Amino acid sequence: MAEDNKVGTYCFTAEPFHVDFTGKLTMGVLGNHLLNCAGFHASERGFGIATLNENHYTWVLSRLAIELKDMPKAYENFSVQTWVENVYRLFTDRNFAILDAEGTPIGYARSVWAMISMETRKPADLLTLHEGSITEYICDKDCPIAKPGRIKVDDCMPCGSHQTKYSDIDLNGHVNSIKYIEHILDLFPLDMFKEKRVRRFEMAYVAESYYGDRLVFYRQQKGENEYDVEIKKNDEEIVVRSKIIFD
Amino acid sequence: MAEDNKVGTYCFTAEPFHVDFTGKLTMGVLGNHLLNCAGFHASERGFGIATLNENHYTWVLSRLAIELKDMPKAYENFSVQTWVENVYRLFTDRNFAILDAEGTPIGYARSVWAMISMETRKPADLLTLHEGSITEYICDKDCPIAKPGRIKVDDCMPCGSHQTKYSDIDLNGHVNSIKYIEHILDLFPLDMFKEKRVRRFEMAYVAESYYGDRLVFYRQQKGENEYDVEIKKNDEEIVVRSKIIFD
């Protein structure tokens, strides 16, 4: 297969209510676009969620790492490219490039997905799905950012909490993957975003949380500009781990 | 001018992370689309925010009322039509129709806007703007829902509060108009949205709030399915009034 057909390209405009006070697209909105692009790319190639649902399987996002030199400004056009880097038995690596209006890369992202049965919640074997056809889309396009790394918060005092509400809950009855990103960035004061920008943002989705769960946030500074965050639900089970590196 | 050219039509798809747990588009996302459509329609006709900014004027949303028979479901296509109903010296009425994938109206919205000078924050005279050219777009298309009405919460105990955070703040340094919609719906328990749906949602934007403000929510039930909400900042000044009617 031609490498070209393996890469999906999708165009966007940074909407005025999707930028933060600095006029740049928010990380949550970018994350939402990336997940949509993953969906478009998979659907167009026959392994999207609509096709899978018929077979009672669904994609589950496990890791997401985004690293950026810049963010689109309000009203600017940009595009997202996505492709499959690797397929293993239980996981697939999907990468992204974020391009500015001129087509110059301003950032990249890496994601790791599993497929589970909606009945048993058990992982499916990706190499046998559709007779392994997903492997035909493996593409060696460059993604020059580090893979998601280890995130670990030592015992520390909580730095915030949030009782999940109606707006947090998605189609599957879980807290929306994107809402966690917003809640994590909200742990930092506005001045942080005046002086610095987020260069790298990592999410590890460990477990689901639900309506009414009390999310408790733990944050540990790991370097001058680096923070690890853990979210626990009901103060016991870890739901999400995240690393934020400012510049 | 032909009536056709007075109406702008914009197409959307309900994104999977933009629907709530019932699989229907959220009111906040719909509100965002309506505000974007207002922007597109005005820009295309020479009175958008980009043109105005050059002249140091900007549009300010004063009222928004949305009434719906249904909401688009995840992955469904829908479209939004918008047109100018009236132009007065200090306000303009802009209406919307929300159409399903077949082009059948599933809801309507009404909005009221003022234009202010970004230097003095004083309102501008819309009838003299661009030699009154905005009045050429007045269109008598039907909008069969009630105009925004009176919203009044009697003295009562607060039912919630929220300290504004990074994600609440928009390009202008104010709390994002859409975020208020989310915070207001979050006052209701999830069960409310299981048993009922929001038929009508009204917002009156009274004053701006800023980063670090403490928003306090007051809610009064006005009928079996009708609630008025007031948001005060720092427990004194009213920022937003809202009416929610369930069905």
Side-chain angles (χ1 to χ4, degrees), chain A residues 12 15-27 32-33 35-36 40 49-50 74-75 161 165-173 176-179 181-183 185-191 193 211, chain B residues 12 15-27 32-33 35-36 40 49-50 74-75 161 165-173 176-179 181-183 185-191 193 211:
Chain A
F12 300 95
E15 298 181 13
F17 288 92
H18 285 171
V19 301
D20 71 6
F21 75 97
T22 71
K24 302 282 182 93
L25 197 72
T26 69
M27 191 60 78
N32 178 50
H33 288 324
L35 301 193
N36 283 332
F40 300 148
I49 216 154
Y75 303 104
S161 71
K165 300 197 168 75
Y166 163 72
S167 295
D168 289 305
I169 307 303
D170 72 9
L171 187 54
N172 301 308
N176 184 321
S177 313
I178 300 305
K179 283 285 174 175
I181 299 179
E182 290 186 16
H183 293 317
L185 290 174
D186 281 343
L187 298 175
F188 297 91
L190 201 73
D191 280 347
F193 301 93
Y211 176 74
Chain B
F12 300 94
E15 298 181 12
F17 289 92
H18 285 171
V19 301
D20 70 7
F21 74 98
T22 71
K24 302 281 182 95
L25 197 73
T26 69
M27 192 59 78
N32 179 49
H33 287 324
L35 302 193
N36 283 333
F40 300 147
I49 217 156
Y75 303 103
S161 71
K165 299 198 168 72
Y166 163 72
S167 295
D168 288 307
I169 307 302
D170 73 8
L171 187 55
N172 301 307
N176 184 322
S177 314
I178 300 305
K179 283 283 175 178
I181 299 179
E182 290 186 15
H183 293 317
L185 291 175
D186 281 344
L187 299 175
F188 296 92
L190 201 73
D191 280 346
F193 301 94
Y211 177 73

Side-chain angles (χ1 to χ4, degrees), chain B residues 105-157:
Chain B
I106 53 172
Y108 292 90
R110 293 178 171 275
S111 63
V112 179
W113 300 76
M115 185 180 293
I116 61 162
S117 156
M118 290 194 288
E119 280 140 21
T120 63
R121 310 298 292 174
K122 286 196 180 140
D125 183 341
L126 295 174
L127 297 174
T128 60
L129 171 84
H130 287 209
E131 288 85 43
S133 67
I134 183 177
T135 59
E136 291 168 27
Y137 295 99
I138 293 173
C139 176
D140 66 359
K141 186 173 159 67
D142 195 29
C143 186
I145 64 167
K147 295 202 171 190
R150 188 164 172 275
I151 305 170
K152 179 78 183 72
V153 174
D154 299 321
D155 283 340
C156 64
M157 294 294 291

Side-chain angles (χ1 to χ4, degrees), chain A residues 13-131:
Chain A
T13 302
E15 298 181 13
F17 288 92
H18 285 171
V19 301
D20 71 6
F21 75 97
T22 71
K24 302 282 182 93
L25 197 72
T26 69
M27 191 60 78
V29 170
L30 179 63
N32 178 50
H33 288 324
L34 299 183
L35 301 193
N36 283 332
C37 290
F40 300 148
H41 181 270
S43 296
E44 289 159 9
R45 286 158 186 81
F47 50 93
I49 216 154
T51 321
L52 295 171
N53 275 348
E54 288 171 25
N55 302 315
H56 308 282
Y57 287 103
T58 188
W59 285 112
V60 175
L61 178 62
S62 168
R63 300 294 300 256
L64 180 65
I66 303 173
E67 193 165 327
L68 299 151
K69 281 189 287 201
D70 200 3
M71 266 288 201
K73 280 198 276 290
Y75 303 104
E76 276 184 358
N77 295 322
F78 64 100
S79 58
V80 171
Q81 295 181 323
T82 183
W83 64 96
V84 175
E85 185 188 41
N86 267 309
V87 181
Y88 306 99
R89 205 167 64 84
L90 298 180
F91 289 99
T92 175
D93 297 331
R94 170 182 287 285
N95 296 342
F96 304 87
I98 299 101
L99 314 177
D100 68 13
E102 281 71 50
T104 307
I106 54 172
Y108 292 90
R110 291 177 172 276
S111 63
V112 179
W113 300 76
M115 185 179 295
I116 62 163
S117 155
M118 290 193 289
E119 280 140 22
T120 64
R121 309 300 291 174
K122 286 195 180 142
D125 184 343
L126 295 174
L127 296 175
T128 59
L129 172 83
H130 287 209
E131 289 84 41

